[in-house]
Amino acid sequence: MKIKDIAKLAGVSPATVSRVMNNSGYVIDEKRKAVEKVIAEVGYTPNEIAKSLKNRKTNIIGVIVPKISTETASRVVDGITEVAKAHDCQILIANTDLQIEEEIKSLKFLSNRLVDGIIMMATEVTEQHYKVAKGISVPIVMVGQQVDGYPSIIHDDYHAAKAMMKHILAKGHQEIGFIGVSPHDIAVGIKRKQAYLDALSEAKLEVDDQLIAIGNFSIESGYEQMEKILAHKQPTAVMAVTDQLAIGAIHCIRDHRLTVPEDISITGMGDGKLSKYFIPPLTTVRLHHKTTGIMAAKNLFTLIENGYVKNEMVVDFSLRIRESVDEKEK
Amino acid sequence: MKIKDIAKLAGVSPATVSRVMNNSGYVIDEKRKAVEKVIAEVGYTPNEIAKSLKNRKTNIIGVIVPKISTETASRVVDGITEVAKAHDCQILIANTDLQIEEEIKSLKFLSNRLVDGIIMMATEVTEQHYKVAKGISVPIVMVGQQVDGYPSIIHDDYHAAKAMMKHILAKGHQEIGFIGVSPHDIAVGIKRKQAYLDALSEAKLEVDDQLIAIGNFSIESGYEQMEKILAHKQPTAVMAVTDQLAIGAIHCIRDHRLTVPEDISITGMGDGKLSKYFIPPLTTVRLHHKTTGIMAAKNLFTLIENGYVKNEMVVDFSLRIRESVDEKEK
DNA sequence: ACTTAATCTGAAATCGATTTCAGATTAAGT
DNA sequence: ACTTAATCTGAAATCGATTTCAGATTAAGT
């Protein structure tokens, strides 16, 4: 069923049917009713692809995520969805599985008019990203990283990690371990580590390389890196750069017949769904991922409509102080 | 930049450019090279919308999910993505936020040629779903529920729950509580409960209504429902219908100064990411959600290509026996 | 050398909508 | 009654690709 068929059935021209469907231009009541009747009878829905071609607008926004099955990504997407819904827009997700070529490929695929705009959650932004992004005609909003020339919504990783460290320091800890993540990830790998280092130096504490371990994003890795630290010495507190790493570390500590927080305090970052219900409840810092998604989407829509938007926005965080950090008696 | 511009620059017709791009028909080497040179120079990428209109194929599959930010949904989507990638297909996600009108709206929106096929994860399938689905021209695969007339990929909720119960019974438990979920959800609310009831009756045990509590999907609800059960009597084991409910229940039990599994054994279902690392590690049953996604996508693609596919497929499960269930000494 | 098949090419039609434009009718204003 | 503005309508052009078709050229086969 296409518009021509409806027109024939209703005894009008396709133009009139289009006017009825879109409520535009003049249509005499009698013909409008006739068209509406036919549409209802045959259950006509217009071909969205044809509409998109003519209107140069698809009402779809593309979202490029590194891995949808992570809490971070799915929360951001949740936020984006909320805003998109209000704009009667669908979202098209490209799951890149952390592969850079996939990101590039997705950018290219989405770019040519398939979507009205793109929200990109990149872990790492390479030269290639820039090159491809520059050739793209639809607006792009970056999430999670500051990318020059593009509106970016970023988390305040540095200050969040710093706040966490200040909390640990305030509890009297002096020997503080760190479980981090590869520097390929700027936000998590670099900024959070920098905060750790700066906090120590501001507190006039020495940095001890034996207390620093770098893993990946898995729980298992948290276990392994904690093991590595304990092989050298026993800190009184450890800041892990994600909740998952913290949970792995706690398991390792427990296997060493030590307890959390009495023997060693542990903190995470992210405030995953279960952190609150872990035993002990994990002290962590919540990055407002859903808010990030909401802001990214709002920015994208104003970018689409006005062509301009503020360049960088930083999303807030909040400490979640629970029970995995103990006062260190002097 | 459109195909006409490329044609002009290369001194050929649009038809020839199309032939070069799609590697179809005859093109003499000299012209092919000329076209390729121009394409490379200007970085031309074809308008996907126009291609879709002509080809009657968008290379996008639609996925309707109740809530993307749940482990279940994101794992299924992960599986779908994997298969879609192999078919050079993007996925368009409609997040319905558990609202039925949204599901219907999404079905309608996606249906008219915007996607080549639809995978639908419905929690509840109403008359309205049927009516709309019937009017839709693209193939649909259902996930999570058997829907007459549509290929469905379902989890074996009944046998998974039954296997869990058999495990509990084999450990010698006789007073077994149950924390379930509203019967609106057929798979989780009805089938898992039926398995509980059947397992009891097969073991010639009485059903005790005071040991049965119905909540929702949250951790908090697990806590509340456990509270309700404990107000009446203390079972030796409780089967919760999801890991989240189980974790809530464990917290409640702990707050009653009882221990898991020594005083009360607990089981979950789902094998969420953290179940293994919970303390105690949770005995649960893993439903292979990613496999579900993979199978749904595979079925959809054969449906698109062949127009026919087996009607119902049941995805396997596996018990994960960990430490939250204890032997009940006689 | 001549027939037949294979190769090559661009004009025109097409996918299914929307919009412009010009012509026709009706309503409003004096 | 006549001018002007508002209302109404459908034919044709358009969005940007692909494909069919027919005609032209080249290669292969005898």
Side-chain angles (χ1 to χ4, degrees):
Chain A
M1 268 296 167
K2 47 186 185 172
I3 201 168
K4 248 174 140 179
D5 303 318
I6 303 299
K8 207 165 288 173
L9 285 171
V12 298
S13 75
T16 300
V17 177
S18 172
R19 281 191 270 258
V20 171
M21 299 276 309
N22 299 296
N23 236 307
S24 66
Y26 296 109
V27 181
I28 209 165
D29 218 48
E30 172 198 355
K31 298 206 175 181
R32 159 165 282 122
K33 292 236 172 77
V35 170
E36 277 166 351
K37 188 160 160 255
V38 173
I39 288 172
E41 272 172 17
V42 307
Y44 167 71
T45 52
N47 180 316
E48 293 293 334
I49 292 293
K51 281 179 77 164
S52 297
L53 180 60
K54 188 75 233 251
N55 295 340
R56 321 188 108 261
K57 196 166 185 333
T58 58
N59 286 314
I60 302 174
I61 58 175
V63 183
I64 301 178
V65 296
K67 204 159 177 40
I68 187 68
S69 60
T70 61
E71 257 187 277
T72 307
S74 65
R75 278 197 211 153
V76 172
V77 170
D78 245 9
I80 295 171
T81 311
E82 199 175 292
V83 178
K85 200 167 281 177
H87 286 252
D88 256 316
C89 217
Q90 294 289 317
I91 74 177
L92 192 151
I93 291 187
N95 203 347
T96 62
D97 228 359
L98 300 157
Q99 277 153 13
I100 289 188
E101 333 117 56
E102 275 300 324
E103 283 186 3
I104 305 281
K105 217 173 124 191
S106 299
L107 260 179
K108 279 194 188 153
F109 180 75
L110 297 183
S111 65
N112 233 286
R113 300 267 128 228
L114 224 180
V115 295
D116 296 339
I118 296 176
I119 294 174
M120 174 140 194
M121 284 180 75
T123 38
E124 194 185 346
V125 175
T126 65
E127 269 309 306
Q128 247 209 306
H129 280 83
Y130 269 105
K131 233 175 75 185
V132 175
K134 244 175 223 152
I136 280 176
S137 48
V138 301
I140 306 178
V141 169
M142 298 287 177
V143 160
Q145 248 170 93
Q146 171 58 39
V147 180
D148 281 346
Y150 294 94
S152 311
I153 316 290
I154 58 171
H155 283 296
D156 201 353
D157 287 89
Y158 179 82
H159 289 105
K162 196 99 170 252
M164 195 76 261
M165 277 301 285
K166 287 213 171 123
H167 173 69
I168 297 172
L169 289 162
K171 290 286 187 178
H173 294 275
Q174 308 232 331
E175 291 190 286
I176 305 171
F178 175 85
I179 301 179
V181 123
S182 140
H184 281 307
D185 188 310
I186 294 174
V188 183
I190 295 183
K191 293 211 180 154
R192 297 186 187 177
K193 185 175 180 189
Q194 196 55 50
Y196 165 78
L197 297 172
D198 290 356
L200 284 184
S201 105
E202 282 166 25
K204 310 225 180 306
L205 293 171
E206 289 280 303
V207 172
D208 182 347
D209 281 341
Q210 298 201 319
L211 290 179
I212 297 178
I214 303 300
N216 59 41
F217 282 90
S218 70
I219 294 179
E220 287 75 11
S221 181
Y223 191 103
E224 288 158 17
Q225 299 310 316
M226 191 66 223
E227 190 79 59
K228 226 177 265 178
I229 292 175
L230 286 176
H232 297 304
K233 52 166 65 178
Q234 185 178 324
T236 68
V238 172
M239 173 166 110
V241 110
T242 71
D243 284 0
Q244 310 252 332
L245 288 170
I247 285 168
I250 290 174
H251 275 271
C252 174
I253 290 168
R254 211 177 305 248
D255 286 353
H256 278 258
R257 319 213 142 262
L258 297 168
T259 59
V260 175
E262 289 79 1
D263 295 313
I264 303 180
S265 294
I266 297 272
T267 65
M269 286 189 76
D271 193 24
K273 205 183 264 173
L274 287 184
S275 306
K276 187 174 162 191
Y277 295 95
F278 198 69
I279 297 163
L282 196 61
T283 289
T284 183
V285 31
R286 161 148 262 200
L287 299 165
H288 300 291
H289 291 119
K290 193 171 172 186
T291 308
T292 305
I294 291 173
M295 285 170 62
K298 280 190 178 163
N299 270 10
L300 185 60
F301 281 114
T302 60
L303 199 56
I304 290 170
E305 284 152 22
N306 304 344
Y308 177 75
V309 95
K310 214 164 111 206
N311 222 33
E312 183 180 324
M313 298 182 86
V314 177
V315 177
D316 217 11
F317 60 87
S318 35
L319 272 190
R320 293 288 149 98
I321 294 171
R322 297 205 266 251
E323 297 166 30
S324 66
V325 177
D326 222 4
E327 192 90 30
K328 170 88 177 99
E329 64 279 359
K330 310 276 158 79
Chain B
M1 267 298 165
K2 47 186 184 171
I3 201 167
K4 247 174 139 179
D5 303 317
I6 303 300
K8 206 167 288 175
L9 285 172
V12 298
S13 75
T16 299
V17 177
S18 171
R19 280 191 272 256
V20 171
M21 299 276 308
N22 299 296
N23 237 309
S24 66
Y26 296 109
V27 180
I28 209 164
D29 218 47
E30 173 197 354
K31 298 206 175 185
R32 159 165 281 123
K33 291 237 173 75
V35 170
E36 277 166 351
K37 189 160 158 256
V38 173
I39 287 172
E41 271 172 19
V42 307
Y44 167 71
T45 52
N47 181 315
E48 294 292 335
I49 292 293
K51 279 179 77 164
S52 297
L53 181 60
K54 188 76 234 244
N55 295 339
R56 323 189 106 259
K57 195 165 186 332
T58 58
N59 285 315
I60 301 175
I61 60 176
V63 183
I64 301 178
V65 296
K67 203 161 179 37
I68 187 71
S69 62
T70 61
E71 256 188 277
T72 306
S74 64
R75 276 197 211 152
V76 172
V77 170
D78 245 11
I80 295 171
T81 311
E82 199 175 292
V83 177
K85 199 166 281 177
H87 285 251
D88 255 316
C89 216
Q90 294 289 319
I91 74 177
L92 192 150
I93 291 186
N95 204 347
T96 62
D97 228 358
L98 299 159
Q99 275 152 15
I100 290 188
E101 335 115 56
E102 274 301 325
E103 283 185 3
I104 305 282
K105 216 172 124 191
S106 298
L107 260 180
K108 279 193 187 151
F109 179 77
L110 298 183
S111 64
N112 232 287
R113 300 269 129 228
L114 224 179
V115 296
D116 296 339
I118 296 176
I119 294 174
M120 173 137 195
M121 283 180 75
T123 39
E124 194 185 344
V125 175
T126 65
E127 269 309 307
Q128 248 209 304
H129 281 83
Y130 269 107
K131 233 175 78 185
V132 175
K134 243 175 222 152
I136 281 177
S137 49
V138 301
I140 305 179
V141 169
M142 298 287 176
V143 160
Q145 248 170 91
Q146 171 58 39
V147 181
D148 282 346
Y150 295 94
S152 310
I153 316 291
I154 57 172
H155 283 296
D156 199 354
D157 286 88
Y158 180 82
H159 289 105
K162 196 100 171 248
M164 193 78 262
M165 278 299 287
K166 288 216 171 119
H167 173 68
I168 297 171
L169 288 163
K171 290 283 187 180
H173 294 276
Q174 307 231 331
E175 290 190 286
I176 305 171
F178 175 84
I179 300 179
V181 123
S182 141
H184 281 306
D185 188 311
I186 294 174
V188 183
I190 295 183
K191 292 211 181 153
R192 295 186 189 177
K193 185 173 178 189
Q194 195 55 49
Y196 165 78
L197 297 173
D198 291 356
L200 284 185
S201 105
E202 282 167 27
K204 311 226 180 306
L205 293 171
E206 290 280 303
V207 173
D208 182 347
D209 280 340
Q210 299 202 320
L211 290 179
I212 296 179
I214 304 300
N216 59 42
F217 283 91
S218 69
I219 294 179
E220 286 76 11
S221 181
Y223 191 103
E224 289 158 16
Q225 299 310 316
M226 191 67 223
E227 191 79 60
K228 225 177 266 179
I229 291 174
L230 287 176
H232 296 305
K233 52 165 65 177
Q234 184 179 325
T236 66
V238 173
M239 172 165 110
V241 112
T242 71
D243 284 0
Q244 310 251 332
L245 288 170
I247 286 168
I250 290 174
H251 275 271
C252 175
I253 290 168
R254 210 177 307 247
D255 286 353
H256 277 258
R257 318 211 144 265
L258 297 168
T259 60
V260 175
E262 289 78 2
D263 295 313
I264 303 180
S265 293
I266 297 273
T267 65
M269 285 189 76
D271 192 25
K273 207 184 260 171
L274 287 184
S275 305
K276 185 173 162 191
Y277 297 95
F278 197 70
I279 298 162
L282 195 61
T283 289
T284 183
V285 31
R286 159 147 261 198
L287 298 165
H288 300 291
H289 291 119
K290 192 171 171 187
T291 308
T292 304
I294 291 174
M295 283 169 62
K298 281 191 179 162
N299 270 10
L300 185 60
F301 282 114
T302 60
L303 198 57
I304 290 171
E305 285 152 21
N306 304 344
Y308 179 73
V309 93
K310 216 165 109 205
N311 222 35
E312 182 180 325
M313 298 180 86
V314 177
V315 176
D316 217 9
F317 60 88
S318 34
L319 271 190
R320 292 289 149 97
I321 294 171
R322 298 206 266 250
E323 297 166 31
S324 67
V325 177
D326 223 5
E327 194 89 31
K328 172 91 178 99
E329 65 278 359
K330 311 277 159 83

